[in-house]
PDB file of all heavy atoms in Angstrom:
ATOM      1  N   MET B 290     262.857 103.146  69.378  1.00 41.00           N
ATOM      2  CA  MET B 290     263.332 103.760  68.119  1.00 41.00           C
ATOM      3  C   MET B 290     264.353 104.847  68.393  1.00 41.00           C
ATOM      4  O   MET B 290     264.769 105.525  67.513  1.00 41.00           O
ATOM      5  CB  MET B 290     262.158 104.343  67.312  1.00 41.00           C
ATOM      6  CG  MET B 290     261.092 103.339  66.871  1.00 41.00           C
ATOM      7  SD  MET B 290     261.850 101.988  65.943  1.00 41.00           S
ATOM      8  CE  MET B 290     262.123 102.761  64.362  1.00 41.00           C
ATOM      9  N   TYR B 305     287.480 123.714  69.930  1.00 97.00           N
ATOM     10  CA  TYR B 305     288.052 125.052  69.889  1.00 97.00           C
ATOM     11  C   TYR B 305     288.938 125.102  68.639  1.00 97.00           C
ATOM     12  O   TYR B 305     289.684 124.153  68.379  1.00 97.00           O
ATOM     13  CB  TYR B 305     288.869 125.254  71.166  1.00 97.00           C
ATOM     14  CG  TYR B 305     289.503 126.592  71.315  1.00 97.00           C
ATOM     15  CD1 TYR B 305     288.742 127.814  71.169  1.00 97.00           C
ATOM     16  CD2 TYR B 305     290.852 126.738  71.676  1.00 97.00           C
ATOM     17  CE1 TYR B 305     289.337 129.043  71.335  1.00 97.00           C
ATOM     18  CE2 TYR B 305     291.463 128.016  71.846  1.00 97.00           C
ATOM     19  CZ  TYR B 305     290.675 129.139  71.683  1.00 97.00           C
ATOM     20  OH  TYR B 305     291.270 130.385  71.815  1.00 97.00           O
ATOM     21  N   ASP B 326     277.574 119.244  63.642  1.00 97.00           N
ATOM     22  CA  ASP B 326     277.310 120.589  64.200  1.00 97.00           C
ATOM     23  C   ASP B 326     278.469 120.911  65.146  1.00 97.00           C
ATOM     24  O   ASP B 326     279.008 120.112  65.843  1.00 97.00           O
ATOM     25  CB  ASP B 326     275.981 120.599  64.993  1.00 97.00           C
ATOM     26  CG  ASP B 326     274.801 120.554  64.024  1.00 97.00           C
ATOM     27  OD1 ASP B 326     274.869 121.195  62.956  1.00 97.00           O
ATOM     28  OD2 ASP B 326     273.800 119.833  64.335  1.00 97.00           O
ATOM     29  N   VAL B 330     283.911 126.027  72.123  1.00 94.00           N
ATOM     30  CA  VAL B 330     284.214 126.149  73.526  1.00 94.00           C
ATOM     31  C   VAL B 330     285.472 126.945  73.610  1.00 94.00           C
ATOM     32  O   VAL B 330     286.604 126.440  73.278  1.00 94.00           O
ATOM     33  CB  VAL B 330     284.469 124.744  74.162  1.00 94.00           C
ATOM     34  CG1 VAL B 330     284.774 124.834  75.632  1.00 94.00           C
ATOM     35  CG2 VAL B 330     283.265 123.779  73.917  1.00 94.00           C
ATOM     36  N   GLN B 339     285.408 125.896  79.194  1.00 90.00           N
ATOM     37  CA  GLN B 339     285.421 124.469  79.522  1.00 90.00           C
ATOM     38  C   GLN B 339     285.293 124.196  81.032  1.00 90.00           C
ATOM     39  O   GLN B 339     285.047 123.065  81.399  1.00 90.00           O
ATOM     40  CB  GLN B 339     286.733 123.809  79.004  1.00 90.00           C
ATOM     41  CG  GLN B 339     287.982 124.120  79.751  1.00 90.00           C
ATOM     42  CD  GLN B 339     288.567 125.502  79.472  1.00 90.00           C
ATOM     43  OE1 GLN B 339     287.903 126.312  78.862  1.00 90.00           O
ATOM     44  NE2 GLN B 339     289.779 125.705  79.891  1.00 90.00           N
ATOM     45  N   LEU B 347     279.409 117.335  80.469  1.00 95.00           N
ATOM     46  CA  LEU B 347     279.742 116.608  79.182  1.00 95.00           C
ATOM     47  C   LEU B 347     281.163 116.027  79.230  1.00 95.00           C
ATOM     48  O   LEU B 347     281.403 114.912  78.713  1.00 95.00           O
ATOM     49  CB  LEU B 347     279.780 117.636  78.051  1.00 95.00           C
ATOM     50  CG  LEU B 347     278.488 117.942  77.325  1.00 95.00           C
ATOM     51  CD1 LEU B 347     278.798 118.945  76.181  1.00 95.00           C
ATOM     52  CD2 LEU B 347     277.808 116.672  76.722  1.00 95.00           C
ATOM     53  N   LYS B 392     301.641 100.127  64.117  1.00 98.00           N
ATOM     54  CA  LYS B 392     302.602 101.230  63.872  1.00 98.00           C
ATOM     55  C   LYS B 392     301.826 102.581  63.827  1.00 98.00           C
ATOM     56  O   LYS B 392     302.346 103.563  64.374  1.00 98.00           O
ATOM     57  CB  LYS B 392     303.298 101.037  62.523  1.00 98.00           C
ATOM     58  CG  LYS B 392     304.373  99.947  62.657  1.00 98.00           C
ATOM     59  CD  LYS B 392     305.035  99.692  61.311  1.00 98.00           C
ATOM     60  CE  LYS B 392     305.815  98.354  61.353  1.00 98.00           C
ATOM     61  NZ  LYS B 392     306.278  97.958  60.052  1.00 98.00           N
ATOM     62  N   GLY B 431     310.028 114.747  71.291  1.00 98.00           N
ATOM     63  CA  GLY B 431     309.106 113.875  70.605  1.00 98.00           C
ATOM     64  C   GLY B 431     309.383 113.830  69.118  1.00 98.00           C
ATOM     65  O   GLY B 431     309.287 112.750  68.514  1.00 98.00           O
ATOM     66  N   LYS B 440     310.877 107.781  59.339  1.00 98.00           N
ATOM     67  CA  LYS B 440     311.843 107.475  58.287  1.00 98.00           C
ATOM     68  C   LYS B 440     311.640 105.980  57.863  1.00 98.00           C
ATOM     69  O   LYS B 440     311.899 105.650  56.702  1.00 98.00           O
ATOM     70  CB  LYS B 440     313.276 107.655  58.757  1.00 98.00           C
ATOM     71  CG  LYS B 440     313.840 108.969  58.402  1.00 98.00           C
ATOM     72  CD  LYS B 440     315.353 109.011  58.824  1.00 98.00           C
ATOM     73  CE  LYS B 440     315.789 110.417  58.861  1.00 98.00           C
ATOM     74  NZ  LYS B 440     316.989 110.586  59.722  1.00 98.00           N
ATOM     75  N   GLN B 462     299.989 118.521  65.350  1.00 98.00           N
ATOM     76  CA  GLN B 462     301.143 118.654  66.292  1.00 98.00           C
ATOM     77  C   GLN B 462     302.225 119.510  65.634  1.00 98.00           C
ATOM     78  O   GLN B 462     302.885 120.265  66.340  1.00 98.00           O
ATOM     79  CB  GLN B 462     301.714 117.282  66.627  1.00 98.00           C
ATOM     80  CG  GLN B 462     302.771 117.323  67.683  1.00 98.00           C
ATOM     81  CD  GLN B 462     302.378 117.958  68.956  1.00 98.00           C
ATOM     82  OE1 GLN B 462     301.438 117.560  69.624  1.00 98.00           O
ATOM     83  NE2 GLN B 462     303.033 119.072  69.370  1.00 98.00           N
ATOM     84  N   LYS B 470     307.520 128.000  67.882  1.00 97.00           N
ATOM     85  CA  LYS B 470     308.744 128.332  67.145  1.00 97.00           C
ATOM     86  C   LYS B 470     309.791 127.239  67.215  1.00 97.00           C
ATOM     87  O   LYS B 470     311.008 127.468  67.330  1.00 97.00           O
ATOM     88  CB  LYS B 470     309.376 129.641  67.755  1.00 97.00           C
ATOM     89  CG  LYS B 470     308.402 130.780  67.981  1.00 97.00           C
ATOM     90  CD  LYS B 470     308.390 131.702  66.814  1.00 97.00           C
ATOM     91  CE  LYS B 470     307.451 132.909  67.003  1.00 97.00           C
ATOM     92  NZ  LYS B 470     306.273 132.926  66.129  1.00 97.00           N
ATOM     93  N   ALA B 491     290.746 117.631  53.065  1.00 98.00           N
ATOM     94  CA  ALA B 491     290.279 117.340  54.455  1.00 98.00           C
ATOM     95  C   ALA B 491     291.109 118.082  55.491  1.00 98.00           C
ATOM     96  O   ALA B 491     290.599 118.480  56.575  1.00 98.00           O
ATOM     97  CB  ALA B 491     290.325 115.832  54.712  1.00 98.00           C
TER      98      ALA B 491
END
Side-chain angles (χ1 to χ4, degrees):
Chain B
M290 298 305 285
Y305 182 51
D326 288 322
V330 181
Q339 76 281 13
L347 273 182
K392 287 177 194 168
K440 264 186 197 158
Q462 187 57 60
K470 315 264 182 248

